[in-house]
Amino acid sequence: TWQACNNGLPDTSGLLVVNYLLTDSMNIYAGLRYYGVYVSTDNGSNWTQRNNGLPISTINSIYKYGNYVFAGTESNGIYISSNNGLNWESKNEGLLNYNITSFYEKDGYIYTGTQGLGLWRRALTDITGIQSISNETPLKHSLSQNYPNPFNPTTKIKFITAKAGNAKLIVYDIIGREVQTLVNETLNPGTHEVTFN
């Protein structure tokens, strides 16, 4: 038997439209018509609106890549979040159509489908901020001291991967709480750098 699970979603007198659902290990993301993104952290029992920095508009598509959530809007283009939808920023540079219908990732590019102007792509390094500094194959993994330190508001963290595989770089506070996942993706061997804001 199906059961309604709309606690926290807007009351629209029977006209609520959920265009897209996506889940990861901790959250369920719902893209709504006219109301933006809602997130549930308890398997859909309760929902919270997560539109800080995101125009409250129709969400046609949601995509997750590593620690990044992509929201495809109707008329407002692409927005991304690196903290599970708490904050969003626009990533529309060079995009000529802001009616986003779908996402796909392959070989270091994020692809998006639009309504009316076909497919577009962008290098993921433009979005994630992870830059490969060297492709030389190092002997071992390592993590360098961030620079500058102390910093305000940004610092760069350099790290080395000795073989291809999933790399994860997480910032914790002094008492061990996770602050932000900076990297969670497959990287080739080499020296990489990421900016933490």
Side-chain angles (χ1 to χ4, degrees):
T1 302
W2 290 87
Q3 297 176 341
C5 55
N6 297 316
N7 190 34
L9 293 176
D11 182 5
T12 59
S13 302
L15 299 176
L16 180 64
V17 177
V18 178
N19 283 341
Y20 206 90
L21 289 170
L22 176 79
T23 187
D24 62 20
S25 61
M26 299 177 355
N27 304 297
I28 303 172
Y29 301 88
L32 277 62
R33 178 184 285 172
Y34 306 130
Y35 294 97
V37 174
Y38 279 73
V39 177
S40 174
T41 58
D42 59 5
N43 291 320
S45 295
N46 297 286
W47 296 90
T48 304
Q49 190 176 39
R50 296 255 180 105
N51 289 327
N52 187 25
L54 177 70
I56 298 177
S57 65
T58 296
I59 305 298
N60 293 326
S61 183
I62 301 173
Y63 187 77
K64 185 94 189 254
Y65 173 78
N67 194 47
Y68 295 88
V69 181
F70 292 77
T73 70
E74 185 174 298
S75 303
N76 291 300
I78 297 169
Y79 282 76
I80 67 160
S81 173
S82 61
N83 56 7
N84 299 315
L86 289 173
N87 299 295
W88 297 89
E89 65 177 305
S90 171
K91 287 294 180 181
N92 292 312
E93 300 84 4
L95 190 62
L96 297 181
N97 188 319
Y98 288 358
N99 289 319
I100 306 303
T101 59
S102 58
F103 291 105
Y104 184 73
E105 175 272 326
K106 183 160 178 60
D107 296 332
Y109 286 93
I110 184 80
Y111 293 82
T112 187
T114 67
Q115 187 176 27
L117 284 178
L119 291 170
W120 296 74
R121 76 176 185 178
R122 184 171 181 178
L124 280 165
T125 56
D126 289 349
I127 295 172
T128 62
I130 301 170
Q131 297 180 335
S132 293
I133 296 171
S134 167
N135 289 329
E136 290 182 27
T137 304
L139 298 175
K140 63 180 182 175
H141 299 296
S142 71
L143 177 65
S144 300
Q145 175 67 46
N146 64 302
Y147 180 82
N149 186 13
F151 64 94
N152 183 17
T154 63
T155 188
K156 293 183 184 242
I157 302 170
K158 191 183 291 186
F159 60 100
I160 295 173
T161 54
K163 62 181 181 176
N166 190 64
K168 197 170 197 179
L169 181 60
I170 303 172
V171 176
Y172 294 92
D173 68 12
I174 198 163
I175 60 171
R177 292 179 301 196
E178 184 175 327
V179 174
Q180 186 174 346
T181 300
L182 299 177
V183 179
N184 185 12
E185 62 188 84
T186 302
L187 296 176
N188 290 322
T191 304
H192 312 279
E193 188 174 71
V194 65
T195 300
F196 174 52
N197 189 332

PDB file of all heavy atoms in Angstrom, residues 40 47 65 70 76 106 111 116 120 123 136 160 166 177:
ATOM      1  N   SER A  40      15.357  15.344   2.175  1.00  0.00           N
ATOM      2  CA  SER A  40      14.983  14.537   3.332  1.00  0.00           C
ATOM      3  C   SER A  40      16.204  13.766   3.809  1.00  0.00           C
ATOM      4  O   SER A  40      16.914  13.153   3.011  1.00  0.00           O
ATOM      5  CB  SER A  40      13.870  13.550   2.970  1.00  0.00           C
ATOM      6  OG  SER A  40      13.613  12.682   4.065  1.00  0.00           O
ATOM      7  N   TRP A  47      10.718  16.693   5.109  1.00  0.00           N
ATOM      8  CA  TRP A  47      11.409  17.408   4.037  1.00  0.00           C
ATOM      9  C   TRP A  47      11.724  18.831   4.466  1.00  0.00           C
ATOM     10  O   TRP A  47      10.940  19.454   5.185  1.00  0.00           O
ATOM     11  CB  TRP A  47      10.535  17.437   2.783  1.00  0.00           C
ATOM     12  CG  TRP A  47      10.284  16.084   2.208  1.00  0.00           C
ATOM     13  CD1 TRP A  47       9.253  15.250   2.515  1.00  0.00           C
ATOM     14  CD2 TRP A  47      11.088  15.399   1.256  1.00  0.00           C
ATOM     15  NE1 TRP A  47       9.366  14.080   1.801  1.00  0.00           N
ATOM     16  CE2 TRP A  47      10.483  14.145   1.016  1.00  0.00           C
ATOM     17  CE3 TRP A  47      12.264  15.719   0.568  1.00  0.00           C
ATOM     18  CZ2 TRP A  47      11.010  13.221   0.121  1.00  0.00           C
ATOM     19  CZ3 TRP A  47      12.788  14.806  -0.319  1.00  0.00           C
ATOM     20  CH2 TRP A  47      12.168  13.563  -0.535  1.00  0.00           C
ATOM     21  N   TYR A  65      27.529  14.157  -8.386  1.00  0.00           N
ATOM     22  CA  TYR A  65      28.858  13.740  -8.817  1.00  0.00           C
ATOM     23  C   TYR A  65      29.794  13.961  -7.639  1.00  0.00           C
ATOM     24  O   TYR A  65      30.037  15.111  -7.244  1.00  0.00           O
ATOM     25  CB  TYR A  65      29.329  14.536 -10.031  1.00  0.00           C
ATOM     26  CG  TYR A  65      30.760  14.238 -10.396  1.00  0.00           C
ATOM     27  CD1 TYR A  65      31.087  13.075 -11.079  1.00  0.00           C
ATOM     28  CD2 TYR A  65      31.787  15.091 -10.015  1.00  0.00           C
ATOM     29  CE1 TYR A  65      32.386  12.781 -11.392  1.00  0.00           C
ATOM     30  CE2 TYR A  65      33.103  14.800 -10.328  1.00  0.00           C
ATOM     31  CZ  TYR A  65      33.399  13.650 -11.015  1.00  0.00           C
ATOM     32  OH  TYR A  65      34.703  13.351 -11.310  1.00  0.00           O
ATOM     33  N   PHE A  70      24.100  18.794  -8.607  1.00  0.00           N
ATOM     34  CA  PHE A  70      23.749  19.697  -9.702  1.00  0.00           C
ATOM     35  C   PHE A  70      22.229  19.797  -9.762  1.00  0.00           C
ATOM     36  O   PHE A  70      21.539  18.778  -9.713  1.00  0.00           O
ATOM     37  CB  PHE A  70      24.245  19.144 -11.042  1.00  0.00           C
ATOM     38  CG  PHE A  70      25.737  19.136 -11.188  1.00  0.00           C
ATOM     39  CD1 PHE A  70      26.514  18.169 -10.565  1.00  0.00           C
ATOM     40  CD2 PHE A  70      26.367  20.085 -11.974  1.00  0.00           C
ATOM     41  CE1 PHE A  70      27.882  18.155 -10.708  1.00  0.00           C
ATOM     42  CE2 PHE A  70      27.737  20.079 -12.133  1.00  0.00           C
ATOM     43  CZ  PHE A  70      28.501  19.112 -11.495  1.00  0.00           C
ATOM     44  N   ASN A  76      16.560  29.278 -15.258  1.00  0.00           N
ATOM     45  CA  ASN A  76      17.657  29.837 -14.467  1.00  0.00           C
ATOM     46  C   ASN A  76      18.967  29.060 -14.602  1.00  0.00           C
ATOM     47  O   ASN A  76      19.922  29.332 -13.896  1.00  0.00           O
ATOM     48  CB  ASN A  76      17.259  29.927 -12.993  1.00  0.00           C
ATOM     49  CG  ASN A  76      16.194  30.975 -12.770  1.00  0.00           C
ATOM     50  OD1 ASN A  76      16.394  32.149 -13.050  1.00  0.00           O
ATOM     51  ND2 ASN A  76      15.032  30.540 -12.305  1.00  0.00           N
ATOM     52  N   LYS A 106      30.876  12.003 -18.031  1.00  0.00           N
ATOM     53  CA  LYS A 106      31.722  11.001 -18.674  1.00  0.00           C
ATOM     54  C   LYS A 106      33.066  11.614 -19.013  1.00  0.00           C
ATOM     55  O   LYS A 106      33.141  12.732 -19.526  1.00  0.00           O
ATOM     56  CB  LYS A 106      31.059  10.470 -19.943  1.00  0.00           C
ATOM     57  CG  LYS A 106      31.866   9.364 -20.624  1.00  0.00           C
ATOM     58  CD  LYS A 106      30.993   8.562 -21.552  1.00  0.00           C
ATOM     59  CE  LYS A 106      31.770   7.493 -22.289  1.00  0.00           C
ATOM     60  NZ  LYS A 106      32.406   6.519 -21.449  1.00  0.00           N
ATOM     61  N   TYR A 111      27.818  16.772 -18.852  1.00  0.00           N
ATOM     62  CA  TYR A 111      26.974  17.093 -20.003  1.00  0.00           C
ATOM     63  C   TYR A 111      25.600  17.513 -19.489  1.00  0.00           C
ATOM     64  O   TYR A 111      25.123  16.981 -18.484  1.00  0.00           O
ATOM     65  CB  TYR A 111      26.812  15.870 -20.909  1.00  0.00           C
ATOM     66  CG  TYR A 111      28.083  15.450 -21.595  1.00  0.00           C
ATOM     67  CD1 TYR A 111      29.024  14.672 -20.932  1.00  0.00           C
ATOM     68  CD2 TYR A 111      28.341  15.827 -22.907  1.00  0.00           C
ATOM     69  CE1 TYR A 111      30.199  14.283 -21.554  1.00  0.00           C
ATOM     70  CE2 TYR A 111      29.508  15.442 -23.541  1.00  0.00           C
ATOM     71  CZ  TYR A 111      30.442  14.675 -22.855  1.00  0.00           C
ATOM     72  OH  TYR A 111      31.601  14.300 -23.478  1.00  0.00           O
ATOM     73  N   GLY A 116      15.493  22.938 -26.296  1.00  0.00           N
ATOM     74  CA  GLY A 116      15.551  23.794 -27.469  1.00  0.00           C
ATOM     75  C   GLY A 116      16.919  23.981 -28.098  1.00  0.00           C
ATOM     76  O   GLY A 116      17.015  24.209 -29.289  1.00  0.00           O
ATOM     77  N   TRP A 120      25.138  20.409 -24.108  1.00  0.00           N
ATOM     78  CA  TRP A 120      26.279  21.264 -23.762  1.00  0.00           C
ATOM     79  C   TRP A 120      27.157  20.470 -22.810  1.00  0.00           C
ATOM     80  O   TRP A 120      26.698  19.569 -22.118  1.00  0.00           O
ATOM     81  CB  TRP A 120      25.793  22.542 -23.083  1.00  0.00           C
ATOM     82  CG  TRP A 120      24.961  23.392 -23.980  1.00  0.00           C
ATOM     83  CD1 TRP A 120      23.666  23.155 -24.382  1.00  0.00           C
ATOM     84  CD2 TRP A 120      25.364  24.583 -24.621  1.00  0.00           C
ATOM     85  NE1 TRP A 120      23.238  24.142 -25.216  1.00  0.00           N
ATOM     86  CE2 TRP A 120      24.265  25.046 -25.378  1.00  0.00           C
ATOM     87  CE3 TRP A 120      26.530  25.332 -24.630  1.00  0.00           C
ATOM     88  CZ2 TRP A 120      24.310  26.210 -26.134  1.00  0.00           C
ATOM     89  CZ3 TRP A 120      26.571  26.501 -25.370  1.00  0.00           C
ATOM     90  CH2 TRP A 120      25.469  26.924 -26.119  1.00  0.00           C
ATOM     91  N   ALA A 123      34.081  20.989 -18.598  1.00  0.00           N
ATOM     92  CA  ALA A 123      35.047  20.179 -17.847  1.00  0.00           C
ATOM     93  C   ALA A 123      34.706  20.217 -16.363  1.00  0.00           C
ATOM     94  O   ALA A 123      34.425  21.287 -15.807  1.00  0.00           O
ATOM     95  CB  ALA A 123      36.456  20.691 -18.081  1.00  0.00           C
ATOM     96  N   GLU A 136      53.156  13.236 -13.640  1.00  0.00           N
ATOM     97  CA  GLU A 136      54.216  12.284 -13.318  1.00  0.00           C
ATOM     98  C   GLU A 136      53.697  11.298 -12.285  1.00  0.00           C
ATOM     99  O   GLU A 136      52.999  11.669 -11.349  1.00  0.00           O
ATOM    100  CB  GLU A 136      55.436  13.015 -12.753  1.00  0.00           C
ATOM    101  CG  GLU A 136      56.175  13.838 -13.767  1.00  0.00           C
ATOM    102  CD  GLU A 136      57.408  14.497 -13.160  1.00  0.00           C
ATOM    103  OE1 GLU A 136      57.959  13.949 -12.183  1.00  0.00           O
ATOM    104  OE2 GLU A 136      57.791  15.546 -13.662  1.00  0.00           O
ATOM    105  N   ILE A 160      49.021  14.354  -3.531  1.00  0.00           N
ATOM    106  CA  ILE A 160      49.583  13.486  -4.561  1.00  0.00           C
ATOM    107  C   ILE A 160      48.904  12.129  -4.486  1.00  0.00           C
ATOM    108  O   ILE A 160      48.738  11.555  -3.408  1.00  0.00           O
ATOM    109  CB  ILE A 160      51.109  13.329  -4.371  1.00  0.00           C
ATOM    110  CG1 ILE A 160      51.801  14.686  -4.575  1.00  0.00           C
ATOM    111  CG2 ILE A 160      51.679  12.285  -5.311  1.00  0.00           C
ATOM    112  CD1 ILE A 160      53.279  14.672  -4.240  1.00  0.00           C
ATOM    113  N   ASN A 166      39.792   6.159  -6.502  1.00  0.00           N
ATOM    114  CA  ASN A 166      38.976   7.156  -5.812  1.00  0.00           C
ATOM    115  C   ASN A 166      39.807   7.869  -4.762  1.00  0.00           C
ATOM    116  O   ASN A 166      40.446   7.236  -3.925  1.00  0.00           O
ATOM    117  CB  ASN A 166      37.752   6.506  -5.163  1.00  0.00           C
ATOM    118  CG  ASN A 166      36.777   7.535  -4.651  1.00  0.00           C
ATOM    119  OD1 ASN A 166      36.215   8.290  -5.443  1.00  0.00           O
ATOM    120  ND2 ASN A 166      36.580   7.598  -3.357  1.00  0.00           N
ATOM    121  N   ARG A 177      34.395  16.850  13.834  1.00  0.00           N
ATOM    122  CA  ARG A 177      33.179  16.896  13.016  1.00  0.00           C
ATOM    123  C   ARG A 177      33.555  17.224  11.576  1.00  0.00           C
ATOM    124  O   ARG A 177      34.399  18.079  11.325  1.00  0.00           O
ATOM    125  CB  ARG A 177      32.212  17.960  13.524  1.00  0.00           C
ATOM    126  CG  ARG A 177      31.603  17.629  14.875  1.00  0.00           C
ATOM    127  CD  ARG A 177      30.693  18.727  15.309  1.00  0.00           C
ATOM    128  NE  ARG A 177      31.492  19.963  15.385  1.00  0.00           N
ATOM    129  CZ  ARG A 177      31.120  21.066  16.008  1.00  0.00           C
ATOM    130  NH1 ARG A 177      29.950  21.129  16.578  1.00  0.00           N
ATOM    131  NH2 ARG A 177      31.899  22.123  16.044  1.00  0.00           N
TER     132      ARG A 177
END
